[in-house]
């Protein structure tokens, strides 16, 4: 494990919104995959003060107690992780580094969902109330980025990325890129896009019942209803061919997904979309990997003429959601 502190602090800006948080924890985790049963293989945290100045940083590899997954991405082999601590062995220290701070990550809903499940498995409580996604913040600031990858945000601010998909370097890059974004937001008096962090509780009801987690999908067709905040944007109507999603559009999901449903729903919410529990004539889009299914939502979509896309198509659309009130331009035809 690595723990270091900075040499010199940055000066405090002269003007700052009173409502802004008092501290941040910039986080990156590398994992064995994207599913609910996947595990963390490394974690890094950069702690920042209220103005984005680095206070210290910490890193640890983590033994996932299973195959490490995409080694070609994160570079951590089974041999490299064999002597690494289990998550339960670092959970207390990591929770202490996050406590009382806003968790900041690039695609924060993913990092938080992975951490929340690991903390639940370890039986460790963590005092994190809010998360901030730098993808969402970049959209709110309307930064002129070609896409919303971390490398594009880093290039925008002139931050050099040394070891892509290494948790410590990704967290460093994000911390350096977050600071100027935070100052831009403060200078504009922008309300930070904070989202609640819901801790998970995992348990076994009996030896034959699979591991369960509050608020996350079971391996069945039943789902616990989730209360979401009201979408702040008006519904601009249906998705039109060749045009992007627009904040305020109503999106419904049907059937199984490769990425867990709740994670997709959280991404949609953070992008400014309205996640609908049913399909009506007001629904902008239905996401399903089985458009021929007899499921109620799919049948309703056919009846109302609701546009339908699969999970992969939705994730592509989700990467470029147009701001509310801005008329999206027609995309040129392919070829």
């Amino acid at each position: 494990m690595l723990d270091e502190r900075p040499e010199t602090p940055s000066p405090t800006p002269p003007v700052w919104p009173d409502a802004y948080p008092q501290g941040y924890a910039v986080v990156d985790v590398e994992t064995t995959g994207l599913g609910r049963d996947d595990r963390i293989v490394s974690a890094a945290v950069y702690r920042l003060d209220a103005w984005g100045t680095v206070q210290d940083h910490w890193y640890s590899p983590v033994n996932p107690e299973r195959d490490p997954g995409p080694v070609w991405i994160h570079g951590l082999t089974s041999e490299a992780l064999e002597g690494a601590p289990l998550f339960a062995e670092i959970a207390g220290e990591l929770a202490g580094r996050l406590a009382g701070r806003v968790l900041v990550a690039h695609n924060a809903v993913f990092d938080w969902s992975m951490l929340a499940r690991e903390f639940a498995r370890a039986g460790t409580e963590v005092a994190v109330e809010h998360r901030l996604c730098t993808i969402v913040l970049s959209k709110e600031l309307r930064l002129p980025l070609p896409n919303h990858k971390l490398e594009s945000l880093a290039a925008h601010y002139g931050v050099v990325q040394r070891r892509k998909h290494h948790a410590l370097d990704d967290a460093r890059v994000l911390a350096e890129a977050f600071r100027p974004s935070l100052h831009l937001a403060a200078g504009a008096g922008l309300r930070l896009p904070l989202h609640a962090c819901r801790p998970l509780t995992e348990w076994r009801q009996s030896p034959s019942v699979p591991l369960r987690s509050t608020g996350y999908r079971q391996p069945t067709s039943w789902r616990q209803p989730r209360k979401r905040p009201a979408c702040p944007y008006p519904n601009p109507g249906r998705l039109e061919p060749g045009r992007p999603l627009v904040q305020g559009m109503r999106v419904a999901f049907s059937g199984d997904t490769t990425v867990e449903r709740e994670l997709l729903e959280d991404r949609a919410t953070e992008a400014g979309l309205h996640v609908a529990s049913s399909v009506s004539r007001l629904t902008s889009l239905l996401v399903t990997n089985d458009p021929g299914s007899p499921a109620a939502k799919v049948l309703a979509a056919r009846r109302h003429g609701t546009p339908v896309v699969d999970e992969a198509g939705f994730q592509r659309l989700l990467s470029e959601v147009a701001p509310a009130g801005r008329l999206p331009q027609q995309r040129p035809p392919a070829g």
Side-chain angles (χ1 to χ4, degrees), residues 260-305:
E260 64 178 280
R261 171 80 70 81
E262 287 74 16
L263 184 54
L264 287 175
E265 291 178 347
D266 282 350
R267 289 176 180 172
T269 299
E270 292 193 352
L273 303 174
H274 177 141
V275 175
S277 59
S278 61
V279 173
S280 71
R281 61 182 180 80
L282 300 177
T283 305
S284 307
L285 177 69
L286 174 67
V287 180
T288 180
N289 290 326
D290 187 6
S293 166
K297 291 180 186 177
V298 175
L299 295 177
R302 292 179 200 159
R303 187 168 61 252
H304 295 296

Side-chain angles (χ1 to χ4, degrees), residues 95-178:
R97 291 179 176 277
L98 302 179
R101 297 171 182 266
V102 170
L103 183 148
V104 178
H106 205 65
N107 191 9
V109 65
F110 173 75
D111 291 78
W112 170 246
S113 66
M114 295 301 297
L115 284 167
R117 282 193 292 271
E118 291 284 16
F119 280 122
R121 290 184 186 103
T124 301
E125 295 184 0
V126 56
V128 176
E129 294 185 359
H130 294 97
R131 64 179 184 267
L132 187 155
C133 179
T134 47
I135 295 176
V136 177
L137 181 59
S138 297
K139 290 180 179 180
E140 294 283 344
L141 292 171
R142 299 190 176 182
L143 299 181
L145 306 177
N147 53 55
H148 294 288
K149 295 180 180 179
L150 177 58
E151 60 193 50
S152 297
L153 182 62
H156 177 74
Y157 288 119
V159 180
V160 178
Q161 199 168 15
R162 303 189 186 101
R163 297 183 65 186
K164 187 176 179 180
H165 295 304
H166 185 283
L168 182 62
D169 197 57
D170 279 357
R172 174 192 63 81
V173 168
L174 189 57
E176 292 185 25
F178 173 63

Side-chain angles (χ1 to χ4, degrees), residues 19 22 40 48 58 63 89 109 112 192 255 271 290 299-300 304 312 327 331-333:
Q22 294 303 302
I40 289 174
L48 314 181
W58 170 92
N63 186 337
E89 296 172 326
V109 65
W112 170 246
L192 293 178
D290 187 6
L299 295 177
H304 295 296
L327 182 64
R331 291 175 181 168

Side-chain angles (χ1 to χ4, degrees), residues 3 23 67 115 122 136 151 171-172 204 213 222 258 276 278:
D3 180 0
D67 184 279
L115 284 167
V136 177
E151 60 193 50
R172 174 192 63 81
R204 287 184 184 272
S213 56
W222 179 85
T258 303
S278 61

